[in-house]
Amino acid sequence: MPASSTADPSAPPLPEPLDVAVADSHTHLDMQDATVAEALEKAASVGVTTVVQIGCDLERARWAAEVAGEHPAVWAAVALHPNEAPRLALEEGPRALEDALAGIAELAALPQVLAVGETGLDYFRTGPEGIAAQQESFRRHIALAKELDKALVIHDRDAHDDVLRILDEEGAPERTVFHCYSGDAEMAKVCAAKGYYMSFAGNVTFKSAQPLRDALAVAPPELLLVETDAPFLTPVPYRGRPNAPYLIPVTLRAMAEVRRTDVNVLAGHVAENTARAFGYPPAP
C-alpha cells in the first residue's frame, strides 16, 4: 500500500540538518503523505540516512519487506501489532491468527527484515476479552525473534508490568527495543539493567511528558535510540501536524537538552546504537 505523493500543505518545515547522521528507528512510511523516495530524500537532506519501516499487520508487513528490499536506506520490522492479534482471534477466529503468525514468520526470515515488531502489549485499546490472545501473540513473537536471531521491537502501552514479566518468563532476545518508550525513570533503570534499548519519540517534547524526560535523563547513552513513529507523535512545536522521518533532528535536539549533552555526541551514540540494535553495518 504505497503512500500518496500528494504534498501536505500542513507539513512542518525542514529543520536544521544534523552534523552526524542518524537513523529513525521506527516509522510508518505507508501511512505518510509522501512517496517512499520523497520521504527518504527529505530525511537524508537533514542527516537522517536510515529508517526502520514497521509492518504491523500481515499486509503492511509484506509492504515493509518489499520496500526494504528496494531501498538501501530502509530496513524492515514485521509483526502483528498487539491490537491486531486479538482482533484476528476475536473477529476471524484462531485459525486466522495462526495463519497470520505463519505469514509473519516467513517475512521475518528475509534478509532485509532485521526485527520482529512491533509486538508487545496494549491494554489501552484491547479489553479484557483480548488479553489472552495478545499475550500469546507476544510470546510467539519473542520466540520467533530468538529463533531467527533478530531484534525484538516492543509496543508497551499501559502494560509495563506484564511486558517485563513476559520477557522474563520467555527470556528476552539478545537485542530488545522498547519502541516509543513510555515508562518512568524507575522502569528505565530496570530496562538498563537488562540491556534493553529505549527509543524515544516526539512525545518526549510534550509539556505533560516530564516522566519521559526523567527516564531519558537516567537511561545509559549506549541504550538510547530515537524515532518518529511517524505520522504520529510529532514533536513540539509542530504537534498536531503530520510527522515524518525528516523531523528526527527536532526530537534529537530536545533529547540532548534533557541530557545536557552536545547533540553531536548524542547523535553519535544513537547512530551506533541503532546499527547495533538492529544488526546492520554502521555508517563509515
Side-chain angles (χ1 to χ4, degrees), residues 11 24 26 38 41 78 88 143-144 152 184 206 273 276 278:
D24 181 350
H26 192 110
E38 288 167 348
E41 182 179 5
V78 301
L88 282 170
L144 178 62
L152 181 75
D184 59 12
F206 295 176
N273 297 345
R276 185 170 64 252
F278 288 94

Side-chain angles (χ1 to χ4, degrees), residues 48-241:
V48 181
T49 56
T50 302
V51 304
V52 180
Q53 164 65 21
I54 307 297
C56 47
D57 60 30
L58 189 53
E59 182 182 2
R60 292 180 186 274
R62 289 188 180 117
W63 189 85
E66 179 182 336
V67 168
E70 294 172 348
H71 297 270
V74 181
W75 299 103
V78 301
L80 301 182
H81 189 280
N83 297 132
E84 174 67 5
R87 184 198 69 78
L88 282 170
L90 294 171
E91 295 180 11
E92 301 181 32
R95 184 70 258 169
L97 177 56
E98 284 297 322
D99 289 346
L101 286 167
I104 292 295
E106 288 182 12
L107 292 168
L110 295 172
Q112 70 269 33
V113 177
L114 299 187
V116 174
E118 57 189 285
T119 181
L121 302 176
D122 186 327
Y123 294 166
F124 180 77
R125 288 197 175 91
T126 294
E129 72 284 354
I131 286 178
Q134 195 173 94
Q135 292 190 359
E136 177 58 23
S137 174
F138 184 27
R139 293 179 192 274
R140 296 279 292 276
H141 283 87
I142 292 170
L144 178 62
K146 291 196 292 186
E147 176 189 339
L148 297 175
D149 189 26
K150 304 231 170 160
L152 181 75
V153 176
I154 292 177
H155 171 109
D156 165 26
R157 188 168 188 185
D158 294 352
H160 304 324
D161 290 346
D162 279 355
V163 167
L164 292 171
R165 174 181 59 81
I166 290 173
L167 284 172
D168 283 345
E169 289 173 357
E170 296 298 319
E174 183 178 346
R175 293 168 290 126
T176 295
V177 177
F178 273 76
H179 129 71
C180 192
Y181 180 83
S182 60
D184 59 12
E186 287 307 307
M187 182 173 161
K189 293 174 185 176
V190 172
C191 290
K194 295 178 180 294
Y196 300 157
Y197 293 91
M198 289 163 270
S199 183
F200 288 84
N203 56 338
V204 77
T205 68
F206 295 176
K207 185 177 180 181
S208 61
Q210 190 57 46
L212 281 185
R213 290 187 284 276
D214 293 342
L216 171 60
V218 302
E222 68 272 15
L223 294 175
L224 286 175
L225 307 181
V226 66
E227 66 175 86
T228 56
D229 198 21
F232 314 108
L233 300 178
T234 311
V236 172
Y238 307 114
R239 188 177 181 183
R241 295 163 74 177

